[in-house]
Coordinates of all heavy atoms in Angstrom, one line a residue:
S93 N 2.5 -21.6 -42.2 CA 2.6 -22.3 -43.5 C 4.0 -23.0 -43.6 O 4.3 -23.6 -44.7 CB 2.5 -21.3 -44.7 OG 3.5 -20.3 -44.6
A94 N 4.8 -23.0 -42.5 CA 6.1 -23.6 -42.6 C 6.2 -24.7 -41.5 O 5.2 -24.9 -40.7 CB 7.2 -22.6 -42.4
A95 N 7.3 -25.3 -41.4 CA 7.5 -26.4 -40.4 C 7.6 -25.8 -39.0 O 7.3 -26.6 -38.0 CB 8.8 -27.2 -40.7
A96 N 7.9 -24.6 -38.8 CA 7.9 -23.9 -37.5 C 7.3 -22.6 -37.6 O 7.3 -21.9 -38.7 CB 9.4 -23.8 -37.0
T97 N 6.6 -22.1 -36.6 CA 6.0 -20.8 -36.6 C 7.0 -19.7 -36.8 O 8.2 -19.9 -36.5 CB 5.2 -20.5 -35.3 OG1 6.2 -20.5 -34.2 CG2 4.2 -21.6 -35.1
W98 N 6.6 -18.6 -37.3 CA 7.5 -17.5 -37.6 C 8.2 -17.0 -36.3 O 9.4 -16.6 -36.4 CB 6.8 -16.3 -38.3 CG 6.1 -15.3 -37.4 CD1 4.7 -15.4 -37.1 CD2 6.6 -14.2 -36.8 NE1 4.4 -14.3 -36.3 CE2 5.6 -13.5 -36.1 CE3 7.9 -13.6 -36.8 CZ2 5.7 -12.3 -35.4 CZ3 8.1 -12.4 -36.1 CH2 7.0 -11.8 -35.4
G99 N 7.5 -17.1 -35.2 CA 8.1 -16.7 -33.9 C 9.3 -17.6 -33.5 O 10.3 -17.1 -33.1
V100 N 9.0 -18.9 -33.6 CA 10.1 -19.8 -33.3 C 11.3 -19.6 -34.1 O 12.5 -19.6 -33.7 CB 9.6 -21.3 -33.5 CG1 10.7 -22.3 -33.4 CG2 8.5 -21.6 -32.4
K101 N 11.1 -19.3 -35.4 CA 12.2 -19.0 -36.3 C 12.9 -17.7 -36.0 O 14.1 -17.6 -36.1 CB 11.8 -19.1 -37.8 CG 11.4 -20.5 -38.2 CD 11.1 -20.6 -39.7 CE 9.9 -19.9 -40.1 NZ 9.6 -20.1 -41.5
A102 N 12.1 -16.7 -35.7 CA 12.6 -15.3 -35.5 C 13.6 -15.3 -34.3 O 14.5 -14.6 -34.3 CB 11.4 -14.4 -35.3
V103 N 13.3 -16.1 -33.3 CA 14.2 -16.1 -32.1 C 15.3 -17.1 -32.3 O 16.2 -17.3 -31.4 CB 13.4 -16.4 -30.8 CG1 12.4 -15.3 -30.6 CG2 12.8 -17.8 -30.8
G104 N 15.4 -17.8 -33.4 CA 16.4 -18.8 -33.7 C 16.3 -20.1 -32.9 O 17.3 -20.9 -32.9
A105 N 15.1 -20.4 -32.4 CA 15.0 -21.6 -31.6 C 15.0 -22.9 -32.5 O 15.4 -24.0 -32.1 CB 13.7 -21.6 -30.9
H106 N 14.6 -22.7 -33.8 CA 14.5 -23.9 -34.7 C 15.9 -24.4 -35.1 O 16.0 -25.6 -35.5 CB 13.7 -23.5 -36.0 CG 14.4 -22.5 -36.8 ND1 14.8 -21.2 -36.3 CD2 14.7 -22.4 -38.2 CE1 15.4 -20.5 -37.3 NE2 15.3 -21.2 -38.4
T107 N 16.9 -23.6 -34.9 CA 18.3 -24.0 -35.2 C 19.2 -24.2 -34.0 O 20.4 -24.5 -34.1 CB 19.0 -23.1 -36.2 OG1 19.0 -21.8 -35.7 CG2 18.2 -23.1 -37.6
S108 N 18.6 -23.8 -32.8 CA 19.4 -23.9 -31.6 C 19.6 -25.4 -31.2 O 18.7 -26.2 -31.4 CB 18.7 -23.2 -30.5 OG 19.4 -23.4 -29.2
P109 N 20.8 -25.7 -30.7 CA 21.0 -27.1 -30.3 C 20.4 -27.4 -28.9 O 20.5 -28.5 -28.4 CB 22.6 -27.2 -30.2 CG 23.0 -25.8 -29.9 CD 22.0 -24.9 -30.6
F110 N 19.8 -26.4 -28.3 CA 19.2 -26.5 -27.0 C 17.6 -26.6 -27.1 O 17.0 -26.0 -28.0 CB 19.6 -25.4 -26.1 CG 21.1 -25.3 -26.0 CD1 21.8 -24.4 -26.7 CD2 21.8 -26.2 -25.2 CE1 23.2 -24.3 -26.7 CE2 23.2 -26.1 -25.1 CZ 23.9 -25.2 -25.8
S111 N 17.0 -27.3 -26.2 CA 15.6 -27.5 -26.2 C 14.9 -27.2 -24.9 O 13.6 -27.3 -24.8 CB 15.3 -29.0 -26.6 OG 15.7 -29.8 -25.5
G112 N 15.6 -26.8 -23.9 CA 15.0 -26.5 -22.6 C 15.0 -27.8 -21.7 O 14.4 -27.8 -20.6
A113 N 15.7 -28.8 -22.1 CA 15.8 -30.0 -21.3 C 16.4 -29.7 -19.9 O 17.4 -29.0 -19.8 CB 16.6 -31.1 -22.0
G114 N 15.8 -30.3 -18.9 CA 16.3 -30.1 -17.5 C 15.9 -28.8 -16.9 O 16.3 -28.5 -15.8
V115 N 15.1 -28.0 -17.6 CA 14.7 -26.7 -17.1 C 13.2 -26.7 -16.8 O 12.4 -27.3 -17.5 CB 15.0 -25.5 -18.1 CG1 14.5 -24.2 -17.6 CG2 16.5 -25.5 -18.4
T116 N 12.8 -26.1 -15.7 CA 11.4 -26.0 -15.3 C 10.9 -24.6 -15.5 O 11.5 -23.6 -15.1 CB 11.2 -26.4 -13.8 OG1 11.7 -27.7 -13.6 CG2 9.8 -26.2 -13.4
V117 N 9.7 -24.5 -16.2 CA 9.1 -23.2 -16.6 C 7.8 -23.2 -15.9 O 7.0 -24.1 -15.8 CB 9.0 -23.1 -18.1 CG1 8.3 -21.8 -18.4 CG2 10.3 -23.2 -18.8
A118 N 7.4 -22.0 -15.4 CA 6.1 -21.7 -14.8 C 5.3 -20.8 -15.7 O 5.9 -19.8 -16.2 CB 6.3 -21.1 -13.4
V119 N 4.0 -21.0 -15.8 CA 3.1 -20.1 -16.5 C 2.0 -19.7 -15.5 O 1.3 -20.6 -15.1 CB 2.5 -20.8 -17.7 CG1 1.6 -19.8 -18.5 CG2 3.6 -21.3 -18.6
L120 N 1.9 -18.5 -15.2 CA 0.9 -18.0 -14.3 C -0.1 -17.2 -15.1 O 0.2 -16.1 -15.6 CB 1.5 -17.1 -13.2 CG 2.7 -17.7 -12.4 CD1 3.2 -16.7 -11.3 CD2 2.2 -19.0 -11.8
D121 N -1.3 -17.8 -15.3 CA -2.2 -17.3 -16.3 C -3.6 -17.8 -16.0 O -4.0 -17.9 -14.9 CB -1.7 -17.7 -17.7 CG -2.1 -16.7 -18.8 OD1 -3.3 -16.7 -19.1 OD2 -1.2 -16.0 -19.3
T122 N -4.3 -18.2 -17.1 CA -5.7 -18.7 -16.9 C -5.8 -20.2 -16.8 O -6.8 -20.8 -16.8 CB -6.5 -18.3 -18.2 OG1 -6.0 -18.9 -19.3 CG2 -6.6 -16.8 -18.3
G123 N -4.6 -20.9 -16.5 CA -4.6 -22.3 -16.4 C -4.1 -23.0 -17.7 O -3.5 -22.3 -18.5
I124 N -4.4 -24.2 -17.8 CA -3.9 -25.0 -19.0 C -4.9 -26.1 -19.4 O -5.5 -26.7 -18.5 CB -2.5 -25.6 -18.7 CG1 -1.8 -26.1 -20.0 CG2 -2.5 -26.6 -17.7 CD1 -0.4 -26.4 -19.9
A125 N -5.0 -26.3 -20.7 CA -5.8 -27.5 -21.1 C -4.8 -28.7 -21.1 O -4.1 -29.0 -22.0 CB -6.3 -27.2 -22.6
A126 N -4.8 -29.3 -19.9 CA -3.8 -30.3 -19.6 C -3.7 -31.5 -20.6 O -2.7 -32.1 -20.8 CB -3.9 -30.8 -18.2
N127 N -4.9 -31.8 -21.2 CA -5.0 -33.0 -22.1 C -4.7 -32.7 -23.5 O -4.8 -33.5 -24.4 CB -6.4 -33.6 -22.0 CG -6.6 -34.3 -20.6 OD1 -5.7 -34.8 -20.0 ND2 -7.8 -34.2 -20.1
H128 N -4.3 -31.4 -23.8 CA -4.0 -31.1 -25.2 C -2.7 -31.9 -25.7 O -1.8 -32.0 -24.9 CB -3.6 -29.6 -25.3 CG -3.7 -29.0 -26.6 ND1 -2.8 -29.3 -27.6 CD2 -4.6 -28.1 -27.2 CE1 -3.1 -28.7 -28.7 NE2 -4.2 -28.0 -28.5
P129 N -2.8 -32.4 -26.9 CA -1.6 -33.1 -27.4 C -0.3 -32.4 -27.4 O 0.7 -33.0 -27.3 CB -2.1 -33.4 -28.9 CG -3.6 -33.3 -28.9 CD -3.9 -32.3 -27.8
A130 N -0.4 -31.1 -27.4 CA 0.9 -30.3 -27.3 C 1.6 -30.5 -26.0 O 2.8 -30.2 -26.0 CB 0.6 -28.8 -27.5
F131 N 0.9 -31.0 -25.0 CA 1.6 -31.1 -23.7 C 1.8 -32.6 -23.3 O 2.0 -32.9 -22.1 CB 0.8 -30.4 -22.6 CG 0.5 -29.0 -23.0 CD1 -0.9 -28.5 -23.0 CD2 1.4 -28.1 -23.4 CE1 -1.2 -27.2 -23.4 CE2 1.1 -26.8 -23.8 CZ -0.2 -26.4 -23.8
A132 N 1.7 -33.5 -24.3 CA 1.9 -34.9 -24.0 C 3.3 -35.1 -23.5 O 4.3 -34.7 -24.0 CB 1.6 -35.7 -25.3
G133 N 3.3 -35.9 -22.4 CA 4.6 -36.2 -21.8 C 5.2 -35.2 -20.9 O 6.3 -35.5 -20.3
V134 N 4.6 -34.0 -20.7 CA 5.1 -33.0 -19.8 C 4.5 -33.2 -18.4 O 3.3 -33.4 -18.3 CB 4.7 -31.6 -20.3 CG1 5.3 -30.5 -19.4 CG2 5.2 -31.4 -21.8
N135 N 5.4 -33.2 -17.4 CA 4.9 -33.3 -16.0 C 4.4 -31.9 -15.7 O 5.1 -31.0 -15.4 CB 6.1 -33.7 -15.1 CG 5.7 -33.6 -13.7 OD1 4.5 -33.7 -13.3 ND2 6.7 -33.6 -12.8
L136 N 3.0 -31.8 -15.6 CA 2.4 -30.6 -15.3 C 2.1 -30.5 -13.8 O 1.2 -31.3 -13.3 CB 1.1 -30.4 -16.1 CG 1.3 -30.3 -17.6 CD1 -0.1 -30.3 -18.3 CD2 2.1 -29.2 -18.0
V137 N 2.7 -29.6 -13.1 CA 2.4 -29.4 -11.6 C 1.5 -28.2 -11.6 O 1.8 -27.1 -12.0 CB 3.7 -29.1 -10.8 CG1 3.4 -28.8 -9.4 CG2 4.7 -30.3 -11.0
T138 N 0.2 -28.4 -11.2 CA -0.8 -27.3 -11.3 C -1.3 -26.9 -9.9 O -1.4 -27.7 -9.0 CB -1.9 -27.8 -12.2 OG1 -2.6 -28.9 -11.6 CG2 -1.4 -28.2 -13.6
K139 N -1.8 -25.7 -9.9 CA -2.5 -25.2 -8.7 C -3.5 -24.1 -9.1 O -3.2 -23.2 -9.9 CB -1.5 -24.7 -7.6 CG -2.2 -24.3 -6.3 CD -1.2 -23.9 -5.2 CE -2.0 -23.5 -3.9 NZ -1.0 -23.2 -2.8
D140 N -4.7 -24.2 -8.5 CA -5.7 -23.2 -8.8 C -5.7 -22.2 -7.6 O -5.8 -22.5 -6.4 CB -7.1 -23.8 -8.8 CG -8.2 -22.8 -8.8 OD1 -8.1 -21.8 -9.5 OD2 -9.2 -23.0 -8.1
F141 N -5.5 -20.9 -7.9 CA -5.5 -19.8 -6.9 C -6.8 -19.0 -7.0 O -6.9 -18.0 -6.2 CB -4.3 -18.9 -7.2 CG -2.9 -19.5 -6.9 CD1 -2.3 -20.3 -7.8 CD2 -2.3 -19.3 -5.6 CE1 -1.0 -20.8 -7.6 CE2 -1.1 -19.9 -5.4 CZ -0.4 -20.6 -6.3
T142 N -7.7 -19.4 -7.8 CA -8.9 -18.6 -8.1 C -10.2 -19.1 -7.4 O -11.2 -18.4 -7.5 CB -9.1 -18.5 -9.6 OG1 -9.6 -19.8 -10.1 CG2 -7.8 -18.1 -10.3
G143 N -10.2 -20.3 -6.9 CA -11.4 -20.9 -6.4 C -12.2 -21.6 -7.4 O -13.4 -22.0 -7.2
A144 N -11.6 -21.8 -8.6 CA -12.4 -22.5 -9.7 C -12.4 -24.0 -9.5 O -13.3 -24.7 -10.1 CB -11.7 -22.2 -11.0
G145 N -11.6 -24.5 -8.6 CA -11.6 -26.0 -8.3 C -10.5 -26.8 -9.0 O -10.2 -27.9 -8.6
S146 N -10.0 -26.2 -10.1 CA -8.8 -26.9 -10.8 C -8.1 -25.8 -11.6 O -8.6 -24.7 -11.8 CB -9.3 -28.0 -11.6 OG -9.9 -27.5 -12.9
A147 N -7.0 -26.2 -12.1 CA -6.2 -25.3 -13.0 C -6.6 -25.5 -14.4 O -5.8 -24.9 -15.3 CB -4.7 -25.5 -12.7
E148 N -7.6 -26.1 -14.7 CA -8.1 -26.3 -16.1 C -8.4 -25.0 -16.7 O -9.1 -24.2 -16.1 CB -9.2 -27.3 -16.2 CG -9.6 -27.7 -17.6 CD -8.6 -28.6 -18.3 OE1 -7.7 -29.1 -17.6 OE2 -8.6 -28.6 -19.5
D149 N -8.0 -24.8 -17.9 CA -8.1 -23.5 -18.6 C -9.5 -23.4 -19.2 O -9.9 -24.3 -20.0 CB -7.1 -23.4 -19.7 CG -7.0 -22.0 -20.3 OD1 -7.7 -21.1 -19.9 OD2 -6.1 -21.8 -21.2
D150 N -10.3 -22.4 -18.9 CA -11.6 -22.2 -19.5 C -11.6 -20.9 -20.4 O -12.6 -20.5 -20.9 CB -12.7 -22.1 -18.5 CG -12.4 -21.0 -17.4 OD1 -11.4 -20.3 -17.6 OD2 -13.2 -20.9 -16.5
N151 N -10.4 -20.4 -20.7 CA -10.3 -19.2 -21.5 C -9.5 -19.5 -22.8 O -9.9 -19.0 -23.8 CB -9.6 -18.1 -20.7 CG -9.4 -16.8 -21.4 OD1 -8.4 -16.7 -22.2 ND2 -10.2 -15.8 -21.2
G152 N -8.4 -20.2 -22.6 CA -7.5 -20.5 -23.8 C -6.2 -19.7 -23.8 O -5.2 -20.2 -24.3
H153 N -6.2 -18.6 -23.1 CA -5.0 -17.7 -23.1 C -3.8 -18.4 -22.5 O -2.7 -18.4 -23.0 CB -5.3 -16.4 -22.3 CG -4.3 -15.4 -22.4 ND1 -3.2 -15.3 -21.5 CD2 -4.1 -14.3 -23.2 CE1 -2.5 -14.2 -21.8 NE2 -3.0 -13.6 -22.9
G154 N -4.0 -19.0 -21.3 CA -2.8 -19.7 -20.6 C -2.3 -20.9 -21.5 O -1.1 -21.2 -21.5
T155 N -3.3 -21.6 -22.1 CA -2.9 -22.7 -22.9 C -2.1 -22.3 -24.1 O -1.1 -22.9 -24.5 CB -4.2 -23.5 -23.4 OG1 -4.9 -24.0 -22.3 CG2 -3.8 -24.6 -24.4
H156 N -2.5 -21.2 -24.7 CA -1.7 -20.6 -25.9 C -0.3 -20.2 -25.5 O 0.7 -20.5 -26.2 CB -2.5 -19.4 -26.4 CG -2.1 -18.9 -27.8 ND1 -1.0 -18.2 -28.0 CD2 -2.7 -19.2 -29.0 CE1 -0.9 -17.9 -29.3 NE2 -1.9 -18.5 -29.9
C157 N -0.2 -19.6 -24.3 CA 1.1 -19.1 -23.8 C 2.0 -20.3 -23.5 O 3.2 -20.4 -23.9 CB 1.0 -18.3 -22.6 SG 0.2 -16.6 -22.9
A158 N 1.4 -21.3 -22.9 CA 2.2 -22.5 -22.6 C 2.7 -23.3 -23.8 O 3.8 -23.8 -23.9 CB 1.4 -23.5 -21.7
G159 N 1.8 -23.3 -24.8 CA 2.1 -23.9 -26.1 C 3.3 -23.2 -26.8 O 4.2 -23.9 -27.3
T160 N 3.4 -21.9 -26.7 CA 4.5 -21.2 -27.3 C 5.8 -21.5 -26.5 O 6.9 -21.6 -27.1 CB 4.3 -19.7 -27.3 OG1 3.1 -19.4 -28.1 CG2 5.4 -18.9 -27.8
I161 N 5.7 -21.7 -25.2 CA 7.0 -21.9 -24.4 C 7.5 -23.3 -24.7 O 8.6 -23.5 -25.1 CB 6.7 -21.7 -22.9 CG1 6.3 -20.2 -22.7 CG2 8.0 -22.0 -22.2 CD1 5.9 -20.0 -21.2
F162 N 6.6 -24.3 -24.4 CA 7.1 -25.7 -24.4 C 6.2 -26.7 -25.1 O 6.4 -27.9 -25.0 CB 7.3 -26.2 -22.9 CG 6.1 -26.1 -22.1 CD1 5.2 -27.2 -22.1 CD2 5.9 -25.0 -21.3 CE1 4.1 -27.1 -21.3 CE2 4.8 -25.0 -20.4 CZ 3.8 -26.0 -20.5
G163 N 5.3 -26.2 -25.9 CA 4.4 -27.1 -26.6 C 5.1 -28.0 -27.6 O 6.1 -27.6 -28.3
R164 N 4.7 -29.3 -27.7 CA 5.2 -30.2 -28.7 C 4.6 -29.9 -30.1 O 3.6 -29.2 -30.2 CB 4.8 -31.6 -28.3 CG 5.7 -32.3 -27.3 CD 6.1 -31.5 -26.1 NE 6.9 -32.2 -25.1 CZ 7.6 -31.6 -24.2 NH1 7.6 -30.3 -24.0 NH2 8.3 -32.4 -23.3
D165 N 5.2 -30.4 -31.1 CA 4.7 -30.1 -32.5 C 3.2 -30.6 -32.6 O 2.8 -31.6 -32.1 CB 5.5 -30.9 -33.5 CG 7.0 -30.4 -33.5 OD1 7.3 -29.5 -32.7 OD2 7.7 -30.9 -34.4
I166 N 2.5 -29.8 -33.4 CA 1.1 -30.1 -33.7 C 1.0 -30.4 -35.2 O 1.2 -29.5 -36.0 CB 0.2 -29.0 -33.3 CG1 0.2 -28.7 -31.8 CG2 -1.3 -29.3 -33.7 CD1 -0.6 -27.6 -31.3
S167 N 0.7 -31.6 -35.6 CA 0.6 -32.0 -37.0 C 1.8 -31.5 -37.8 O 1.6 -31.0 -38.9 CB -0.7 -31.4 -37.6 OG -1.9 -31.9 -36.9
G168 N 2.9 -31.8 -37.3 CA 4.2 -31.4 -38.0 C 4.6 -30.0 -37.9 O 5.6 -29.6 -38.4
Q169 N 3.8 -29.2 -37.2 CA 4.0 -27.8 -37.0 C 4.7 -27.5 -35.6 O 4.1 -27.9 -34.6 CB 2.7 -27.0 -37.1 CG 2.9 -25.5 -36.8 CD 3.4 -24.7 -38.0 OE1 3.0 -25.1 -39.1 NE2 4.2 -23.8 -37.9
R170 N 5.9 -26.9 -35.6 CA 6.5 -26.6 -34.4 C 6.0 -25.3 -33.8 O 6.0 -24.3 -34.5 CB 8.1 -26.5 -34.5 CG 8.8 -26.1 -33.2 CD 10.2 -26.3 -33.3 NE 10.9 -25.7 -32.1 CZ 12.2 -25.8 -31.8 NH1 13.0 -26.3 -32.7 NH2 12.6 -25.3 -30.7

Side-chain angles (χ1 to χ4, degrees):
S93 58
T97 63
W98 83 267
V100 169
K101 291 189 289 184
V103 300
H106 65 308
T107 57
S108 175
F110 304 99
S111 67
V115 177
T116 298
V117 177
V119 183
L120 306 181
D121 208 288
T122 62
I124 191 169
N127 292 325
H128 198 291
F131 310 125
V134 182
N135 174 21
L136 299 176
V137 179
T138 65
K139 183 173 181 178
D140 169 43
F141 290 85
T142 71
S146 79
E148 188 65 20
D149 190 2
D150 55 4
N151 177 283
H153 189 270
T155 298
H156 197 279
C157 291
T160 297
I161 299 174
F162 57 85
R164 278 47 177 161
D165 294 1
I166 299 176
S167 301
Q169 176 80 39
R170 178 168 173 177

